[in-house]
Amino acid sequence: MDISDKQQQSRHWFEGLPDRILDDIISYVISSSPSSRIMLLSELGSTIFRASCRSLFGILKAEDDKRRFTEHLQSQIGHNPLSSILLNPGRYGKYVRQLLIVDPSNLKSWEPRPSYIGFESPSMREKRSEGVESNPITAQNLLDLLRYLSNLETFSWKATVTPPDGVCEMLSTHNRRLTSFHYMPAERLLPVSRAILASLPRWNGLSLPLLSSLNLKSIRVSRLSQSGVHSFVRLLSMLETDSQLEEVCIDTNWLDESLCQQIGSACSKLRRIEIGSDGSRFSDKSLVTLLPLCEHLEAFTLREVQGRLSKTLWEKILDYPSRLRHFQVNINENSIQHAWNIDHLSSLSNLPVTSLTHLIIRRTSSPFQDQVHDVAILKPVPSAFVRSLENARDLQHLECDWWSWSCDNLRTPLESCPDLRVSSSA
């Protein structure tokens, strides 16, 4: 048997594999030998070609730097997925399912920028990049890419600089299969001052309402300006009554009772909600209004909220969603400075623990910050909370490092929760 016959047999064997298994094999080959990319895309038949495209282009990561869209594309083909798509969009663009925009790898610092209210023109966006080692992508750069990603399902913007304002119009026009829109700028790991943190741009999101024409299942947004929140509310108001939206994550200092009312009324089929806010507008009324409206809710997360929440918060909610299974509270020990930010923990014993499978009260911290206010120091777990776990018969995952636990405290969940799989404590 000559070499060509062996190659033919190998191809037939690969063709009989399910796509998921074949994709795993190809991904392993590429990670083990990056130089094999060109061979896999050109010399081993159509089955291997499609699997290689799914592996290489399924999740496309692009830096928020217009030079990546214009310079040295030819020399990067076969090595840089973005260059390959820009040069051969018809061949590779249809394989992209997720597009992730991140900060440029050479972005070394961020300096305070003026805030622009209302429409932000391309020239204004260019001006904001002066003095920073970054040349943010233009609306035309983004359009040149998105119009070829006909099967795009998830768009995720994690770069510090806000996207071109027309991004949602582009998505609603060229990416009709989009089901997830995420604007969640990544937290920077380098130590920065409060003045610099305050100067980081907030997105106006003027074109957000145009996403209402898509069959979205997930929306995650953060760092919205006041105008951005108005745009988000307008988007919610434009959703049809049969909206398939299942997940909403919002983190903004403009979060209040009115916005929670809008979320609950427009998204009655929500299964997952994650809320974060560093403003003082968020209060008991916000949650008392929101949760009863979400009758299909399965997972709820309160992430580093700094609003004014009372000690009786969880007592006030009389009608918890019957399908609620996952309840989580994240608290940043470096940012908590007032007791009212965590007073609500006193009433956690009123949660519907009988139906919960996951209960998480997690202590988080910020890189390069070692100061912890007195209100956030480690204290013994409240006895009322421990006693409430006696009824948590369905609990499978318990994570609670906000308080310290004694051996006697731990005995209650270990003896009362037969399905408990994970128990993490300080």
Side-chain angles (χ1 to χ4, degrees):
M1 182 180 296
D2 57 23
I3 295 179
S4 62
D5 290 335
K6 291 182 179 180
Q7 290 178 336
Q8 191 68 24
Q9 284 188 356
S10 298
R11 290 178 185 176
H12 286 314
W13 183 80
F14 276 115
E15 289 174 357
L17 291 175
D19 286 348
R20 181 177 59 82
I21 295 177
L22 182 56
D23 291 353
D24 289 343
I25 294 174
I26 296 299
S27 296
Y28 176 78
V29 171
I30 293 174
S31 63
S32 301
S33 177
S35 60
S36 65
R37 296 176 180 179
I38 295 178
M39 177 186 68
L40 291 170
L41 290 172
S42 60
E43 301 178 13
L44 298 179
S46 60
T47 300
I48 300 298
F49 169 78
R50 289 192 295 270
S52 300
C53 287
R54 290 193 295 268
S55 177
L56 288 169
F57 305 113
I59 302 177
L60 179 63
K61 182 183 291 187
E63 295 183 4
D64 185 23
D65 189 336
K66 66 182 180 182
R67 291 168 294 190
R68 304 294 186 189
F69 287 73
T70 57
E71 298 178 6
H72 311 298
L73 295 182
Q74 193 64 46
S75 63
Q76 293 294 318
I77 193 169
H79 304 284
N80 184 331
L82 177 61
S83 299
S84 299
I85 289 176
L86 292 175
L87 290 172
N88 295 290
R91 184 176 174 86
Y92 301 123
K94 61 185 177 182
Y95 291 98
V96 178
R97 296 296 187 272
Q98 299 181 40
L99 176 60
L100 175 62
I101 307 295
V102 299
D103 278 328
S105 55
N106 65 347
L107 182 61
K108 298 180 180 178
S109 63
W110 179 265
E111 298 298 334
R113 302 277 166 230
S115 298
Y116 296 102
I117 305 300
F119 178 74
E120 182 180 41
S121 68
S123 61
M124 294 166 68
R125 193 167 187 264
E126 291 286 348
K127 185 176 181 180
R128 279 199 292 107
S129 68
E130 294 175 2
V132 182
E133 294 186 16
S134 172
N135 290 280
I137 57 178
T138 65
Q140 189 61 50
N141 294 146
L142 196 56
L143 177 60
D144 289 342
L145 176 62
L146 289 176
R147 64 182 179 180
Y148 293 115
L149 310 185
S150 57
N151 293 316
L152 187 67
E153 298 172 356
T154 299
F155 177 86
S156 181
W157 187 282
K158 291 191 174 184
T160 302
V161 178
T162 56
D165 181 66
V167 59
C168 297
E169 181 177 3
M170 300 177 201
L171 291 167
S172 63
T173 301
H174 300 285
N175 310 103
R176 300 299 301 173
R177 297 189 179 185
L178 194 76
T179 58
S180 300
F181 177 85
H182 301 161
Y183 173 72
M184 304 288 289
E187 296 290 338
R188 302 197 60 77
L189 295 180
L190 296 178
V192 293
S193 67
R194 288 185 177 272
I196 292 179
L197 283 174
S199 71
L200 291 176
R202 295 182 182 271
W203 188 38
N204 294 326
L206 299 182
S207 60
L208 265 174
L210 296 177
L211 294 177
S212 62
S213 65
L214 300 175
N215 187 25
L216 291 180
K217 293 185 177 181
S218 172
I219 299 178
R220 301 175 67 88
V221 290
S222 68
R223 296 204 63 81
L224 293 177
S225 66
Q226 186 174 16
S227 296
V229 171
H230 291 324
S231 297
F232 180 71
V233 169
R234 189 180 173 200
L235 165 62
L236 295 178
S237 67
M238 294 174 65
L239 293 175
E240 300 292 338
T241 54
D242 60 347
S243 168
Q244 299 302 307
L245 196 61
E246 297 180 353
E247 178 186 50
V248 165
C249 173
I250 181 167
D251 187 344
T252 175
N253 59 352
W254 299 97
L255 189 63
D256 58 11
E257 180 184 359
S258 176
L259 180 52
C260 287
Q261 172 77 45
Q262 191 72 39
I263 294 174
S265 299
C267 313
S268 59
K269 296 182 180 179
L270 283 179
R271 297 171 59 187
R272 296 177 297 279
I273 294 179
E274 182 174 331
I275 288 177
S277 177
D278 58 359
S280 59
R281 296 172 177 81
F282 192 75
S283 65
D284 288 11
K285 291 183 178 181
S286 303
L287 285 177
V288 172
T289 298
L290 174 64
L291 289 179
L293 293 173
C294 305
E295 58 183 26
H296 298 285
L297 193 66
E298 299 174 4
F300 175 76
T301 299
L302 201 63
R303 181 165 60 88
E304 301 182 5
V305 168
Q306 297 186 38
R308 291 179 176 268
L309 303 177
S310 74
K311 293 183 178 181
T312 58
L313 166 62
W314 304 109
E315 296 178 26
K316 297 177 180 178
I317 302 174
L318 303 179
D319 189 15
Y320 282 93
S322 61
R323 302 183 185 183
L324 186 64
R325 300 291 180 269
H326 183 119
F327 182 91
Q328 179 170 340
V329 177
N330 290 357
I331 308 169
N332 189 309
E333 64 178 7
N334 303 120
S335 61
I336 295 297
Q337 297 184 3
H338 303 286
W340 66 67
N341 296 147
I342 57 173
D343 277 346
H344 67 98
L345 297 178
S346 302
S347 58
L348 283 179
S349 56
N350 293 276
L351 291 175
V353 294
T354 55
S355 62
L356 295 182
T357 59
H358 290 69
L359 178 56
I360 300 171
I361 314 298
R362 179 178 295 162
R363 178 183 293 265
T364 64
S365 58
S366 302
F368 305 101
Q369 295 185 28
D370 56 4
Q371 294 185 349
V372 178
H373 196 276
D374 288 347
V375 299
I377 62 175
L378 196 63
K379 298 176 182 177
V381 60
S383 57
F385 178 75
V386 175
R387 287 196 302 270
S388 71
L389 297 179
E390 295 176 356
N391 300 316
R393 299 293 181 180
D394 294 331
L395 200 63
Q396 300 174 8
H397 182 113
L398 173 62
E399 180 181 340
C400 185
D401 62 356
W402 180 256
W403 298 297
S404 63
W405 290 66
S406 67
C407 293
D408 287 339
N409 295 147
L410 287 172
R411 185 177 293 115
T412 298
L414 292 176
E415 294 179 350
S416 303
C417 310
D419 297 325
L420 193 65
R421 300 172 185 172
V422 180
S423 182
S424 173
S425 62

